[in-house]
Amino acid sequence: MASVLKAVRGTRDLLPPETALWSRVEATARAVFSRYGFGEIRTPVFETTDLFARSVGEETDIVSKEMYTWEDRARAASEKAQSLTLRPENTAGVVRAYIEHKLGDTGMLQKLFYLGPQFRRERPQRGRYRQFWQIGAEVIGPASSGSESPIRDAEVIEMLAALLNELGIQGWRLEINSVGSSEDRQRYNAALREALAPVKSQLCEDNQRRAETNPLRVLDSKAPEDQHIINALPKIADYLDEASRVHFAAVLEALTACSVPYHVNHRLVRGLDYYTRTTFEFTVPPSEQDGSGLGTQNALLGGGRYDGLSEMLGGPKAPGIGFAIGEDRLILALQAQAAEVPEKKLDAYIAPMGKAQNPAALSIAKELRAAGLRIEVGDGAFRLKKSFEAADKIARRIVILGEDEFKSGFYIAKDFATSLQRLFTREGLAKALKQKNWQINDPLIRSSDPLKQTVGLRMPALMLLADAKSALSNEELRAFLALALGTPLRDLDQEIIDNMTSQLAKENLVIGSNLGWQITASGRIHLQSEMRKDETSENTD
Ligand code: AMP
């Protein structure tokens, strides 16, 4: 037997019903972004390797060990072989597109959002995958468009708070810091190197390397044995120049003005080289008990300002700020916080009662779907019981299609929540299925009363019911119908009455006297109880 193939380690399939939650998250994000004036951008899933090396940074974990990179062979003499990489993040692609399409020439602030898979060869664990999804946005433009203003930082962060609240994420925490200008960082890096030199040998292997290559990254480290050293290192706040300090204070002031709670975290430098000034992260409480379901991977999203990125990529000066939400983690947090996607059952299940009814079932389903209803179609090979079971699982109602229904022009639908059954003409079906709640006194409704239910189940079933046999006049049939439908005759739709009576008139009606009612030779309908009798006389008025 051939071996079974599986999804690659660190990748996974997302299936219904979970994907409904993904759709809800994405729809909410789109709605929120649109309220803040963002438009969607879609960039390619792979780019030249150079793009990420120059923006994210050669010394970062992402570029040095996590990228999916390959040598793409030339296929024609006119092509050159080149090194390509699956995007590990999307900001670099957006800024490349900004430069390539000269969006800066518009002079306008560009507000762009994206949504899509990213790829990093990380050690897979809960909340950390090799293909994961990010929802992100960037605000970028020439300085004259206001792109450098602290109000942009605060607006983006306030938008994120609004999005998380709208999604129902509980207990989120915003951590914020400023990593200053690139000159500030050079000075700070020098200070860090100096402070790290005497203690370097006490650090873990990774941090020893970082202390050499990129000391800022030591601050990111979660290695428990190094924390006492890291906590004692100089703080970047003491190395910010006046402009960066003013910028940071203005961001915090605006956040306070919009009541967005924040915590300044001096160690928050983030793993990507292109950040300047504001950096931030939203987390949820780490433990299962506190409800994130994320363990240590509790950062839901991260972002920051990248005022020099465009120039690093050979573009014009284009200050910007952006963020990326880890959608996988957002979903895990929502699931752990028991955000149920309300189960959305289909409007109806069409159950053909024989293979011959399959084409008609499909054509009725087509009509109903065109009318905006959500419909599933069964199979004429299913028995009635199986159709009911299948329908009950996925739909609110079942519509039964037998040969008799086609002949009579009537369809019977049952509502599972109330057990009410109704009869319809083909034209009336869509309208009735759109009606949210069926009431017992709706015209043509069946009650759950066993007698009426039997009567209502299928009109032709009446003919199989019992022992007494009687040929009825048209009037008698109308009276009988009123009884069967439990509705005063005057409330019945004339078209339905005419259609059904003429149908019934063609048949020899067999009456179910064993169920406690019968039609006499005079055409009156008698029920066992007095109450029923009263009803009958009313109905036959
Ligand atoms: P970054 O692009 O590294 O700033 O990450 C932004 C967000 O993406 C993080 O806060 C995570 O929520 C998410 N993220 C990053 N890497 C992964 C991964 N390997 N698997 C799942 N989510 C990730």
Side-chain angles (χ1 to χ4, degrees), residues 247-258:
H247 185 99
F248 192 44
V251 174
L252 300 185
E253 187 190 349
L255 288 177
T256 305
C258 346

Side-chain angles (χ1 to χ4, degrees), residues 27 41 50 96 146 148 156 162 203 220 242 256 300 303 317 321 339 355 357 362 367 382 399 422 433 438 496:
I41 182 169
D50 195 36
R96 182 210 32 80
E148 227 167 349
V156 157
L203 292 169
D220 260 352
E242 182 59 15
T256 305
L300 282 187
K317 181 170 162 62
I321 179 155
K355 286 184 194 162
Q357 269 69 58
L362 213 52
E367 282 172 24
F382 294 174
V399 178
R422 291 177 72 172
L433 291 176
W438 288 0
I496 291 184

Side-chain angles (χ1 to χ4, degrees), residues 499-512:
N499 199 337
M500 202 176 258
T501 48
S502 71
Q503 191 61 37
L504 288 170
K506 282 190 224 141
E507 315 269 348
N508 254 352
L509 202 61
V510 181
I511 309 294

